[in-house]
PDB file of all heavy atoms in Angstrom:
ATOM      1  N   ARG A  42      -5.317  10.215  -1.262  1.00 84.00           N
ATOM      2  CA  ARG A  42      -6.711  10.630  -1.255  1.00 84.00           C
ATOM      3  C   ARG A  42      -7.508   9.978  -0.131  1.00 84.00           C
ATOM      4  O   ARG A  42      -8.529  10.506   0.292  1.00 84.00           O
ATOM      5  CB  ARG A  42      -7.380  10.288  -2.599  1.00 84.00           C
ATOM      6  CG  ARG A  42      -6.821  11.040  -3.786  1.00 84.00           C
ATOM      7  CD  ARG A  42      -7.514  10.632  -5.073  1.00 84.00           C
ATOM      8  NE  ARG A  42      -8.886  11.123  -5.140  1.00 84.00           N
ATOM      9  CZ  ARG A  42      -9.946  10.361  -5.160  1.00 84.00           C
ATOM     10  NH1 ARG A  42      -9.824   9.044  -5.076  1.00 84.00           N
ATOM     11  NH2 ARG A  42     -11.168  10.880  -5.263  1.00 84.00           N
ATOM     12  N   GLU A  43      -7.044   8.825   0.365  1.00 88.00           N
ATOM     13  CA  GLU A  43      -7.807   8.124   1.395  1.00 88.00           C
ATOM     14  C   GLU A  43      -7.796   8.858   2.730  1.00 88.00           C
ATOM     15  O   GLU A  43      -8.625   8.585   3.597  1.00 88.00           O
ATOM     16  CB  GLU A  43      -7.246   6.712   1.594  1.00 88.00           C
ATOM     17  CG  GLU A  43      -7.326   5.835   0.361  1.00 88.00           C
ATOM     18  CD  GLU A  43      -6.172   6.076  -0.595  1.00 88.00           C
ATOM     19  OE1 GLU A  43      -5.043   6.367  -0.144  1.00 88.00           O
ATOM     20  OE2 GLU A  43      -6.401   5.996  -1.814  1.00 88.00           O
ATOM     21  N   ASN A  44      -6.822   9.775   2.936  1.00 89.00           N
ATOM     22  CA  ASN A  44      -6.717  10.542   4.180  1.00 89.00           C
ATOM     23  C   ASN A  44      -6.567   9.660   5.413  1.00 89.00           C
ATOM     24  O   ASN A  44      -7.055   9.991   6.496  1.00 89.00           O
ATOM     25  CB  ASN A  44      -7.919  11.473   4.359  1.00 89.00           C
ATOM     26  CG  ASN A  44      -7.996  12.542   3.282  1.00 89.00           C
ATOM     27  OD1 ASN A  44      -9.021  12.709   2.646  1.00 89.00           O
ATOM     28  ND2 ASN A  44      -6.929  13.267   3.076  1.00 89.00           N
ATOM     29  N   VAL A  45      -5.868   8.526   5.284  1.00 93.00           N
ATOM     30  CA  VAL A  45      -5.632   7.631   6.412  1.00 93.00           C
ATOM     31  C   VAL A  45      -4.367   8.077   7.139  1.00 93.00           C
ATOM     32  O   VAL A  45      -3.301   8.217   6.530  1.00 93.00           O
ATOM     33  CB  VAL A  45      -5.495   6.174   5.948  1.00 93.00           C
ATOM     34  CG1 VAL A  45      -5.109   5.272   7.112  1.00 93.00           C
ATOM     35  CG2 VAL A  45      -6.797   5.701   5.316  1.00 93.00           C
ATOM     36  N   ALA A  46      -4.470   8.320   8.452  1.00 93.00           N
ATOM     37  CA  ALA A  46      -3.326   8.721   9.258  1.00 93.00           C
ATOM     38  C   ALA A  46      -2.724   7.498   9.934  1.00 93.00           C
ATOM     39  O   ALA A  46      -3.415   6.756  10.622  1.00 93.00           O
ATOM     40  CB  ALA A  46      -3.745   9.742  10.305  1.00 93.00           C
ATOM     41  N   THR A  47      -1.430   7.283   9.748  1.00 93.00           N
ATOM     42  CA  THR A  47      -0.711   6.178  10.378  1.00 93.00           C
ATOM     43  C   THR A  47       0.441   6.719  11.226  1.00 93.00           C
ATOM     44  O   THR A  47       1.514   6.121  11.281  1.00 93.00           O
ATOM     45  CB  THR A  47      -0.185   5.195   9.325  1.00 93.00           C
ATOM     46  OG1 THR A  47       0.583   5.924   8.343  1.00 93.00           O
ATOM     47  CG2 THR A  47      -1.321   4.481   8.627  1.00 93.00           C
ATOM     48  N   GLY A  48       0.207   7.863  11.860  1.00 91.00           N
ATOM     49  CA  GLY A  48       1.241   8.473  12.681  1.00 91.00           C
ATOM     50  C   GLY A  48       2.155   9.360  11.865  1.00 91.00           C
ATOM     51  O   GLY A  48       1.974   9.554  10.659  1.00 91.00           O
ATOM     52  N   ARG A  49       3.142   9.922  12.530  1.00 93.00           N
ATOM     53  CA  ARG A  49       4.113  10.790  11.854  1.00 93.00           C
ATOM     54  C   ARG A  49       5.185   9.914  11.218  1.00 93.00           C
ATOM     55  O   ARG A  49       5.933   9.214  11.908  1.00 93.00           O
ATOM     56  CB  ARG A  49       4.720  11.778  12.846  1.00 93.00           C
ATOM     57  CG  ARG A  49       5.601  12.838  12.190  1.00 93.00           C
ATOM     58  CD  ARG A  49       6.048  13.901  13.188  1.00 93.00           C
ATOM     59  NE  ARG A  49       6.832  14.927  12.527  1.00 93.00           N
ATOM     60  CZ  ARG A  49       6.312  15.984  11.899  1.00 93.00           C
ATOM     61  NH1 ARG A  49       5.002  16.147  11.879  1.00 93.00           N
ATOM     62  NH2 ARG A  49       7.086  16.872  11.313  1.00 93.00           N
ATOM     63  N   ASP A  50       5.272   9.957   9.897  1.00 93.00           N
ATOM     64  CA  ASP A  50       6.174   9.060   9.173  1.00 93.00           C
ATOM     65  C   ASP A  50       6.482   9.681   7.821  1.00 93.00           C
ATOM     66  O   ASP A  50       5.599  10.258   7.168  1.00 93.00           O
ATOM     67  CB  ASP A  50       5.509   7.687   8.986  1.00 93.00           C
ATOM     68  CG  ASP A  50       6.353   6.748   8.150  1.00 93.00           C
ATOM     69  OD1 ASP A  50       7.557   6.626   8.412  1.00 93.00           O
ATOM     70  OD2 ASP A  50       5.793   6.136   7.214  1.00 93.00           O
ATOM     71  N   ARG A  51       7.723   9.570   7.384  1.00 94.00           N
ATOM     72  CA  ARG A  51       8.067  10.054   6.050  1.00 94.00           C
ATOM     73  C   ARG A  51       7.410   9.147   5.015  1.00 94.00           C
ATOM     74  O   ARG A  51       7.593   7.934   5.024  1.00 94.00           O
ATOM     75  CB  ARG A  51       9.576  10.074   5.857  1.00 94.00           C
ATOM     76  CG  ARG A  51      10.272  11.166   6.652  1.00 94.00           C
ATOM     77  CD  ARG A  51      11.754  11.225   6.305  1.00 94.00           C
ATOM     78  NE  ARG A  51      12.419  12.290   7.034  1.00 94.00           N
ATOM     79  CZ  ARG A  51      12.997  12.154   8.221  1.00 94.00           C
ATOM     80  NH1 ARG A  51      12.969  10.971   8.811  1.00 94.00           N
ATOM     81  NH2 ARG A  51      13.577  13.167   8.820  1.00 94.00           N
ATOM     82  N   ALA A  52       6.640   9.758   4.136  1.00 94.00           N
ATOM     83  CA  ALA A  52       5.904   8.988   3.121  1.00 94.00           C
ATOM     84  C   ALA A  52       5.777   9.830   1.866  1.00 94.00           C
ATOM     85  O   ALA A  52       5.843  11.069   1.912  1.00 94.00           O
ATOM     86  CB  ALA A  52       4.520   8.606   3.646  1.00 94.00           C
ATOM     87  N   LEU A  53       5.598   9.167   0.753  1.00 93.00           N
ATOM     88  CA  LEU A  53       5.398   9.883  -0.503  1.00 93.00           C
ATOM     89  C   LEU A  53       4.307   9.216  -1.316  1.00 93.00           C
ATOM     90  O   LEU A  53       4.078   8.012  -1.223  1.00 93.00           O
ATOM     91  CB  LEU A  53       6.700   9.985  -1.308  1.00 93.00           C
ATOM     92  CG  LEU A  53       7.338   8.714  -1.889  1.00 93.00           C
ATOM     93  CD1 LEU A  53       6.724   8.323  -3.238  1.00 93.00           C
ATOM     94  CD2 LEU A  53       8.847   8.905  -2.068  1.00 93.00           C
ATOM     95  N   GLY A  54       3.631  10.036  -2.099  1.00 92.00           N
ATOM     96  CA  GLY A  54       2.634   9.556  -3.050  1.00 92.00           C
ATOM     97  C   GLY A  54       2.808  10.284  -4.364  1.00 92.00           C
ATOM     98  O   GLY A  54       3.096  11.489  -4.393  1.00 92.00           O
ATOM     99  N   ASN A  55       2.673   9.555  -5.457  1.00 93.00           N
ATOM    100  CA  ASN A  55       2.827  10.164  -6.783  1.00 93.00           C
ATOM    101  C   ASN A  55       1.796   9.567  -7.727  1.00 93.00           C
ATOM    102  O   ASN A  55       1.597   8.350  -7.762  1.00 93.00           O
ATOM    103  CB  ASN A  55       4.232   9.927  -7.342  1.00 93.00           C
ATOM    104  CG  ASN A  55       4.487  10.744  -8.597  1.00 93.00           C
ATOM    105  OD1 ASN A  55       4.877  11.907  -8.504  1.00 93.00           O
ATOM    106  ND2 ASN A  55       4.276  10.165  -9.767  1.00 93.00           N
ATOM    107  N   THR A  56       1.119  10.431  -8.481  1.00 93.00           N
ATOM    108  CA  THR A  56       0.161   9.995  -9.489  1.00 93.00           C
ATOM    109  C   THR A  56       0.549  10.593 -10.833  1.00 93.00           C
ATOM    110  O   THR A  56       0.574  11.818 -10.989  1.00 93.00           O
ATOM    111  CB  THR A  56      -1.267  10.420  -9.135  1.00 93.00           C
ATOM    112  OG1 THR A  56      -1.658   9.807  -7.900  1.00 93.00           O
ATOM    113  CG2 THR A  56      -2.244   9.996 -10.224  1.00 93.00           C
ATOM    114  N   LEU A  57       0.869   9.724 -11.782  1.00 94.00           N
ATOM    115  CA  LEU A  57       1.215  10.120 -13.141  1.00 94.00           C
ATOM    116  C   LEU A  57       0.106   9.648 -14.061  1.00 94.00           C
ATOM    117  O   LEU A  57      -0.273   8.469 -14.029  1.00 94.00           O
ATOM    118  CB  LEU A  57       2.549   9.502 -13.556  1.00 94.00           C
ATOM    119  CG  LEU A  57       3.019   9.739 -14.984  1.00 94.00           C
ATOM    120  CD1 LEU A  57       3.312  11.218 -15.220  1.00 94.00           C
ATOM    121  CD2 LEU A  57       4.250   8.891 -15.295  1.00 94.00           C
ATOM    122  N   ALA A  58      -0.451  10.556 -14.872  1.00 94.00           N
ATOM    123  CA  ALA A  58      -1.588  10.199 -15.724  1.00 94.00           C
ATOM    124  C   ALA A  58      -1.427  10.833 -17.098  1.00 94.00           C
ATOM    125  O   ALA A  58      -0.956  11.967 -17.228  1.00 94.00           O
ATOM    126  CB  ALA A  58      -2.901  10.667 -15.089  1.00 94.00           C
ATOM    127  N   ALA A  59      -1.828  10.071 -18.126  1.00 96.00           N
ATOM    128  CA  ALA A  59      -1.815  10.548 -19.505  1.00 96.00           C
ATOM    129  C   ALA A  59      -3.166  10.249 -20.135  1.00 96.00           C
ATOM    130  O   ALA A  59      -3.805   9.238 -19.819  1.00 96.00           O
ATOM    131  CB  ALA A  59      -0.696   9.883 -20.308  1.00 96.00           C
ATOM    132  N   GLY A  60      -3.624  11.122 -21.019  1.00 95.00           N
ATOM    133  CA  GLY A  60      -4.922  10.929 -21.652  1.00 95.00           C
ATOM    134  C   GLY A  60      -4.953  11.468 -23.070  1.00 95.00           C
ATOM    135  O   GLY A  60      -4.132  12.299 -23.450  1.00 95.00           O
ATOM    136  N   VAL A  61      -5.907  10.966 -23.833  1.00 96.00           N
ATOM    137  CA  VAL A  61      -6.129  11.450 -25.198  1.00 96.00           C
ATOM    138  C   VAL A  61      -7.631  11.527 -25.449  1.00 96.00           C
ATOM    139  O   VAL A  61      -8.391  10.655 -24.999  1.00 96.00           O
ATOM    140  CB  VAL A  61      -5.450  10.521 -26.239  1.00 96.00           C
ATOM    141  CG1 VAL A  61      -5.950   9.086 -26.109  1.00 96.00           C
ATOM    142  CG2 VAL A  61      -5.669  11.047 -27.658  1.00 96.00           C
ATOM    143  N   ALA A  62      -8.062  12.596 -26.096  1.00 95.00           N
ATOM    144  CA  ALA A  62      -9.461  12.773 -26.485  1.00 95.00           C
ATOM    145  C   ALA A  62      -9.517  13.004 -27.997  1.00 95.00           C
ATOM    146  O   ALA A  62      -8.808  13.860 -28.527  1.00 95.00           O
ATOM    147  CB  ALA A  62     -10.076  13.957 -25.743  1.00 95.00           C
ATOM    148  N   TRP A  63     -10.380  12.230 -28.671  1.00 96.00           N
ATOM    149  CA  TRP A  63     -10.495  12.306 -30.129  1.00 96.00           C
ATOM    150  C   TRP A  63     -11.958  12.527 -30.482  1.00 96.00           C
ATOM    151  O   TRP A  63     -12.797  11.664 -30.263  1.00 96.00           O
ATOM    152  CB  TRP A  63      -9.983  11.012 -30.762  1.00 96.00           C
ATOM    153  CG  TRP A  63     -10.196  10.936 -32.249  1.00 96.00           C
ATOM    154  CD1 TRP A  63     -10.153  11.967 -33.141  1.00 96.00           C
ATOM    155  CD2 TRP A  63     -10.475   9.754 -33.015  1.00 96.00           C
ATOM    156  NE1 TRP A  63     -10.393  11.524 -34.412  1.00 96.00           N
ATOM    157  CE2 TRP A  63     -10.593  10.164 -34.361  1.00 96.00           C
ATOM    158  CE3 TRP A  63     -10.629   8.407 -32.689  1.00 96.00           C
ATOM    159  CZ2 TRP A  63     -10.877   9.262 -35.372  1.00 96.00           C
ATOM    160  CZ3 TRP A  63     -10.909   7.506 -33.696  1.00 96.00           C
ATOM    161  CH2 TRP A  63     -11.026   7.939 -35.031  1.00 96.00           C
ATOM    162  N   GLN A  64     -12.257  13.686 -31.029  1.00 95.00           N
ATOM    163  CA  GLN A  64     -13.611  13.982 -31.494  1.00 95.00           C
ATOM    164  C   GLN A  64     -13.710  13.536 -32.956  1.00 95.00           C
ATOM    165  O   GLN A  64     -13.429  14.283 -33.873  1.00 95.00           O
ATOM    166  CB  GLN A  64     -13.916  15.475 -31.365  1.00 95.00           C
ATOM    167  CG  GLN A  64     -15.362  15.828 -31.684  1.00 95.00           C
ATOM    168  CD  GLN A  64     -15.661  17.303 -31.482  1.00 95.00           C
ATOM    169  OE1 GLN A  64     -14.821  18.065 -31.021  1.00 95.00           O
ATOM    170  NE2 GLN A  64     -16.868  17.704 -31.850  1.00 95.00           N
ATOM    171  N   PHE A  65     -14.120  12.274 -33.140  1.00 94.00           N
ATOM    172  CA  PHE A  65     -14.100  11.691 -34.474  1.00 94.00           C
ATOM    173  C   PHE A  65     -15.356  12.005 -35.280  1.00 94.00           C
ATOM    174  O   PHE A  65     -15.433  11.686 -36.469  1.00 94.00           O
ATOM    175  CB  PHE A  65     -13.899  10.176 -34.400  1.00 94.00           C
ATOM    176  CG  PHE A  65     -14.977   9.442 -33.654  1.00 94.00           C
ATOM    177  CD1 PHE A  65     -16.086   8.945 -34.323  1.00 94.00           C
ATOM    178  CD2 PHE A  65     -14.882   9.239 -32.287  1.00 94.00           C
ATOM    179  CE1 PHE A  65     -17.076   8.255 -33.645  1.00 94.00           C
ATOM    180  CE2 PHE A  65     -15.874   8.551 -31.600  1.00 94.00           C
ATOM    181  CZ  PHE A  65     -16.973   8.064 -32.275  1.00 94.00           C
ATOM    182  N   ALA A  66     -16.347  12.619 -34.640  1.00 95.00           N
ATOM    183  CA  ALA A  66     -17.561  13.057 -35.319  1.00 95.00           C
ATOM    184  C   ALA A  66     -18.085  14.278 -34.563  1.00 95.00           C
ATOM    185  O   ALA A  66     -17.719  14.506 -33.406  1.00 95.00           O
ATOM    186  CB  ALA A  66     -18.604  11.947 -35.358  1.00 95.00           C
ATOM    187  N   PRO A  67     -18.945  15.089 -35.182  1.00 94.00           N
ATOM    188  CA  PRO A  67     -19.397  16.317 -34.519  1.00 94.00           C
ATOM    189  C   PRO A  67     -20.003  16.099 -33.133  1.00 94.00           C
ATOM    190  O   PRO A  67     -19.832  16.937 -32.251  1.00 94.00           O
ATOM    191  CB  PRO A  67     -20.433  16.879 -35.501  1.00 94.00           C
ATOM    192  CG  PRO A  67     -20.002  16.371 -36.831  1.00 94.00           C
ATOM    193  CD  PRO A  67     -19.439  15.010 -36.574  1.00 94.00           C
ATOM    194  N   LEU A  68     -20.695  14.965 -32.908  1.00 96.00           N
ATOM    195  CA  LEU A  68     -21.354  14.721 -31.630  1.00 96.00           C
ATOM    196  C   LEU A  68     -20.698  13.619 -30.821  1.00 96.00           C
ATOM    197  O   LEU A  68     -21.167  13.284 -29.725  1.00 96.00           O
ATOM    198  CB  LEU A  68     -22.829  14.376 -31.859  1.00 96.00           C
ATOM    199  CG  LEU A  68     -23.678  15.433 -32.585  1.00 96.00           C
ATOM    200  CD1 LEU A  68     -25.098  14.935 -32.775  1.00 96.00           C
ATOM    201  CD2 LEU A  68     -23.669  16.756 -31.821  1.00 96.00           C
ATOM    202  N   TRP A  69     -19.603  13.044 -31.323  1.00 97.00           N
ATOM    203  CA  TRP A  69     -18.970  11.904 -30.665  1.00 97.00           C
ATOM    204  C   TRP A  69     -17.523  12.222 -30.282  1.00 97.00           C
ATOM    205  O   TRP A  69     -16.793  12.837 -31.050  1.00 97.00           O
ATOM    206  CB  TRP A  69     -18.965  10.682 -31.584  1.00 97.00           C
ATOM    207  CG  TRP A  69     -20.302  10.021 -31.731  1.00 97.00           C
ATOM    208  CD1 TRP A  69     -21.263  10.293 -32.654  1.00 97.00           C
ATOM    209  CD2 TRP A  69     -20.817   8.964 -30.917  1.00 97.00           C
ATOM    210  NE1 TRP A  69     -22.353   9.478 -32.478  1.00 97.00           N
ATOM    211  CE2 TRP A  69     -22.111   8.643 -31.409  1.00 97.00           C
ATOM    212  CE3 TRP A  69     -20.319   8.249 -29.826  1.00 97.00           C
ATOM    213  CZ2 TRP A  69     -22.896   7.647 -30.840  1.00 97.00           C
ATOM    214  CZ3 TRP A  69     -21.103   7.263 -29.267  1.00 97.00           C
ATOM    215  CH2 TRP A  69     -22.376   6.970 -29.776  1.00 97.00           C
ATOM    216  N   THR A  70     -17.130  11.754 -29.075  1.00 96.00           N
ATOM    217  CA  THR A  70     -15.756  11.898 -28.607  1.00 96.00           C
ATOM    218  C   THR A  70     -15.313  10.588 -27.970  1.00 96.00           C
ATOM    219  O   THR A  70     -16.051   9.995 -27.176  1.00 96.00           O
ATOM    220  CB  THR A  70     -15.611  13.029 -27.576  1.00 96.00           C
ATOM    221  OG1 THR A  70     -16.036  14.264 -28.163  1.00 96.00           O
ATOM    222  CG2 THR A  70     -14.165  13.164 -27.116  1.00 96.00           C
ATOM    223  N   LEU A  71     -14.132  10.135 -28.328  1.00 97.00           N
ATOM    224  CA  LEU A  71     -13.537   8.933 -27.763  1.00 97.00           C
ATOM    225  C   LEU A  71     -12.416   9.359 -26.816  1.00 97.00           C
ATOM    226  O   LEU A  71     -11.547  10.150 -27.186  1.00 97.00           O
ATOM    227  CB  LEU A  71     -12.986   8.035 -28.865  1.00 97.00           C
ATOM    228  CG  LEU A  71     -12.515   6.631 -28.461  1.00 97.00           C
ATOM    229  CD1 LEU A  71     -13.686   5.799 -27.975  1.00 97.00           C
ATOM    230  CD2 LEU A  71     -11.811   5.946 -29.634  1.00 97.00           C
ATOM    231  N   ARG A  72     -12.442   8.850 -25.574  1.00 96.00           N
ATOM    232  CA  ARG A  72     -11.436   9.219 -24.579  1.00 96.00           C
ATOM    233  C   ARG A  72     -10.749   7.966 -24.048  1.00 96.00           C
ATOM    234  O   ARG A  72     -11.398   6.935 -23.836  1.00 96.00           O
ATOM    235  CB  ARG A  72     -12.076   9.978 -23.413  1.00 96.00           C
ATOM    236  CG  ARG A  72     -12.786  11.256 -23.817  1.00 96.00           C
ATOM    237  CD  ARG A  72     -13.340  11.983 -22.599  1.00 96.00           C
ATOM    238  NE  ARG A  72     -14.146  13.121 -22.989  1.00 96.00           N
ATOM    239  CZ  ARG A  72     -13.673  14.333 -23.258  1.00 96.00           C
ATOM    240  NH1 ARG A  72     -12.357  14.535 -23.149  1.00 96.00           N
ATOM    241  NH2 ARG A  72     -14.461  15.319 -23.615  1.00 96.00           N
ATOM    242  N   SER A  73      -9.453   8.079 -23.782  1.00 97.00           N
ATOM    243  CA  SER A  73      -8.706   6.990 -23.158  1.00 97.00           C
ATOM    244  C   SER A  73      -7.661   7.590 -22.219  1.00 97.00           C
ATOM    245  O   SER A  73      -7.240   8.741 -22.393  1.00 97.00           O
ATOM    246  CB  SER A  73      -8.039   6.097 -24.201  1.00 97.00           C
ATOM    247  OG  SER A  73      -7.067   6.828 -24.928  1.00 97.00           O
ATOM    248  N   GLY A  74      -7.269   6.802 -21.217  1.00 96.00           N
ATOM    249  CA  GLY A  74      -6.292   7.307 -20.263  1.00 96.00           C
ATOM    250  C   GLY A  74      -5.556   6.192 -19.551  1.00 96.00           C
ATOM    251  O   GLY A  74      -6.048   5.061 -19.439  1.00 96.00           O
TER     252      GLY A  74
END
């Protein structure tokens, strides 16, 4: 995401993300990730 160029080079980036949302009341939601 930083968009920094360091020349032509083989490189890899991986982002793994997990999340949960719990609406424990009609107007309230608890989120974690």
Side-chain angles (χ1 to χ4, degrees):
R42 295 179 71 245
E43 298 83 34
N44 296 128
V45 174
T47 53
R49 188 173 183 85
D50 176 48
R51 288 186 178 91
L53 67 84
N55 190 85
T56 298
L57 176 65
V61 57
W63 174 34
Q64 187 177 355
F65 61 91
L68 301 178
W69 286 90
T70 301
L71 189 65
R72 301 183 186 275
S73 64

